[in-house]
Amino acid sequence: RNRFGVSEAASSMPDTPPPLPDPSRAAPNAPIGRNRQFRLLFVCLLVIGAGNSMLLAVAPPLVRELRLPDSSVGWIFSLSALLWVLMSPGWGRLSDRIGRRPVAAFGLGAYAVSMASFGFVVMLGLNGLLAGFWLFTWLMLARAIFGAFGSASSPAAQAYIADRTTRMERTEQLAGLTAAFALGQAFGPAVCAALAAKFGLVFPIWLVAVLAAGASFAIWRFLPENTPPQTERPKGDWRQSLALMNDKRISAYLIYGFALSVVAGVTVQVFGLFTMDRLNAQGVHGSELTAAGFMVNALALLATQMAILPRLKLGPRGLMAWGAGLLALGVGVQIIADTLAALLVAQAIQGLGAGLARPGFAGGASVAVQPHEQGNAAGLVVAANGAGFVFSPLIGGVIYETVGMNAPLIIMLVLLIAMMIFALRSRRLRDAVTAEPPPPDTPAA
């Protein structure tokens, strides 16, 4: 009998409900792998990654065509990021209660609505029907749909993976799932540049809305799940979230994840403007150069997670330290870069760093908690991933406009060095994953 109290013969059957399930305990789940459920979740994050990278590639030239301030690029995403932070833990807990599949499908559907709404508002702006404050407000609200409701997909997907992996393999499996996001980021900008040159800057946004709607249907219709929902809502959900956030097992990972989110928010929001100003490019040409940088970054991240990470055999602490160090090197190269080739090298190094730092942080947080806490932990991880985007407009857009184009990057360089030192010295971070907990009916040694 395994640790869930079910015979090994029953638990080895993929996606087959166990006999006489105990409603108070999650049913055993088939191991995640390169099978149907993994492919569906892969597509889910692939679409989100492609959509976000497309939007980030077209946003700088779009705001200038719409005659909005450069800093509005960051502010448009800030409300969405705030809602992402506030809502993600709740979606993670809801996936514990009603299942991973419906929450993931709902999040993708909301993402489709957000992208379609954003494209519609941009069209109104380009045709002169909206301008100035109201155009900016409606763009922010359209994006906010993603933060409030689209944030449901990521914690549900992460918890789905956690349900089906052991603690020893979870970091690598989460990295494989994150690679889907990176793959979307890699090819999204290239597709975006080609479509924007042929059909205009708005067409890629509409395309992502259609793809997200299709992915939502596929998740709802075809994703297998045998974890029964909890019949009653546990008491003190929000208190449990706050307690877990302050728990010594996970708090250091969340601190690092928040700092990593700030770095991601600033570097992503600044890169398009930085490239356009450094290389004197505007409009569609600026979008093409920005897309090239994002593509190189994402390809490096993807190569790291698919080819390099499985061979390194580093624990969460090691991945986080090396990731922060490489990110710092990439930001330093970007500061002194004066050609497109140098900017692409900077993005490649940053992609390598992010490919190590992200799974180190997410995997470390997941293995630090117990199975029944996975949904809650995944929600906090996703919230930390978005929290930095709430503050990044101040460091990115505002400082970029008022102080200079290098100032935000210098601040990020200092922050990354501090993160590397934190990862190496914090006693709350573990360099190796722990063994599986003993079965519930066996006293711990």
Side-chain angles (χ1 to χ4, degrees):
R1 302 177 72 84
N2 62 17
R3 65 189 182 95
F4 291 98
V6 179
S7 67
E8 293 293 339
S11 64
S12 65
M13 299 175 63
D15 300 305
T16 301
L20 301 176
D22 180 1
S24 65
R25 184 180 300 167
N29 294 307
I32 195 74
R34 307 296 176 177
N35 47 24
R36 184 174 68 176
Q37 59 259 48
F38 185 89
R39 290 193 297 270
L40 285 171
L41 293 174
F42 195 93
V43 170
C44 167
L45 292 188
L46 179 74
V47 171
I48 295 177
N52 283 342
S53 63
M54 284 184 180
L55 195 56
L56 290 167
V58 301
L62 265 179
V63 298
R64 289 184 175 179
E65 285 196 18
L66 295 171
R67 299 183 179 181
L68 294 173
D70 287 346
S71 59
S72 62
V73 174
W75 292 117
I76 286 172
F77 292 91
S78 62
L79 177 59
S80 175
L82 176 61
L83 292 173
W84 180 284
V85 172
L86 296 176
M87 298 298 293
S88 291
W91 292 122
R93 289 195 308 273
L94 185 64
S95 74
D96 286 336
R97 183 182 170 210
I98 68 173
R100 317 301 187 196
R101 178 176 60 189
V103 175
F106 175 78
L108 272 170
Y111 181 52
V113 172
S114 174
M115 293 297 286
S117 302
F118 194 92
F120 179 71
V121 175
V122 169
M123 288 296 296
L124 293 179
L126 292 175
N127 287 281
L129 300 177
L130 274 178
F133 172 78
W134 287 111
L135 173 60
F136 170 75
T137 300
W138 283 109
L139 286 173
M140 183 180 288
L141 291 176
R143 181 63 183 176
I145 297 173
F146 174 61
F149 305 106
S151 54
S153 55
S154 291
Q158 288 189 27
Y160 189 93
I161 293 292
D163 289 343
R164 290 158 173 79
T165 54
T166 65
R167 293 190 173 200
M168 298 298 291
E169 64 188 4
R170 192 167 302 152
T171 298
E172 184 175 332
Q173 291 290 351
L174 286 174
L177 187 62
T178 306
F181 191 86
L183 184 63
Q185 287 182 313
F187 293 101
V191 174
C192 175
L195 293 176
K198 190 173 181 63
F199 301 107
L201 292 171
V202 186
F203 183 81
I205 301 175
W206 293 107
L207 177 62
V208 171
V210 174
L211 292 177
S216 175
F217 174 79
I219 291 290
W220 175 258
R221 180 66 179 83
F222 300 113
L223 184 69
E225 181 174 25
N226 64 3
T227 301
Q230 298 177 14
T231 56
E232 296 182 0
R233 183 180 180 88
K235 296 181 179 180
D237 274 349
W238 285 103
R239 290 193 296 271
Q240 291 175 5
S241 290
L242 292 174
L244 187 60
M245 184 170 60
N246 294 319
D247 194 307
K248 291 182 178 180
R249 295 173 300 165
I250 195 174
S251 60
Y253 295 104
L254 296 178
I255 292 171
Y256 181 96
F258 170 72
L260 185 64
S261 178
V262 172
V263 172
V266 171
T267 54
V268 164
Q269 292 173 15
V270 163
F271 180 72
L273 300 172
F274 187 94
T275 300
M276 293 168 67
D277 291 337
R278 182 61 61 90
L279 302 180
N280 194 25
Q282 301 297 329
V284 174
H285 182 50
S287 175
E288 291 173 346
L289 297 180
T290 302
F294 285 143
M295 183 172 64
V296 169
N297 182 297
L299 284 173
L301 189 151
L302 181 65
T304 302
Q305 294 184 340
M306 298 298 288
I308 299 175
L309 184 63
R311 292 171 172 81
L312 289 179
K313 302 303 180 183
L314 290 174
R317 181 196 294 271
L319 292 174
M320 292 160 68
W322 275 102
L326 286 170
L327 279 165
L329 177 62
V331 170
V333 172
Q334 182 175 335
I335 292 174
I336 63 175
D338 57 359
T339 65
L340 177 61
L343 287 172
L344 295 182
V345 170
Q347 285 298 300
I349 298 173
Q350 291 178 39
L352 289 172
L356 298 178
R358 289 181 184 177
F361 145 63
S366 180
V367 300
V369 299
Q370 298 300 318
H372 68 278
E373 300 172 303
Q374 289 300 326
N376 210 345
L380 291 174
V381 166
V382 173
N385 281 332
F389 284 81
V390 179
F391 304 96
S392 56
L394 292 173
I395 306 174
V398 174
I399 293 181
Y400 187 96
E401 282 186 337
T402 58
V403 180
M405 60 192 305
N406 286 328
L409 297 178
I410 293 173
I411 295 173
M412 292 304 98
L413 183 60
V414 173
L415 177 59
L416 284 165
I417 293 173
M419 289 168 58
M420 182 174 63
I421 296 172
F422 176 77
L424 290 171
R425 298 185 62 86
S426 175
R427 296 181 179 179
R428 296 187 181 184
L429 299 176
R430 287 178 286 183
D431 192 39
V433 296
T434 58
E436 291 286 337
D441 53 355
T442 302

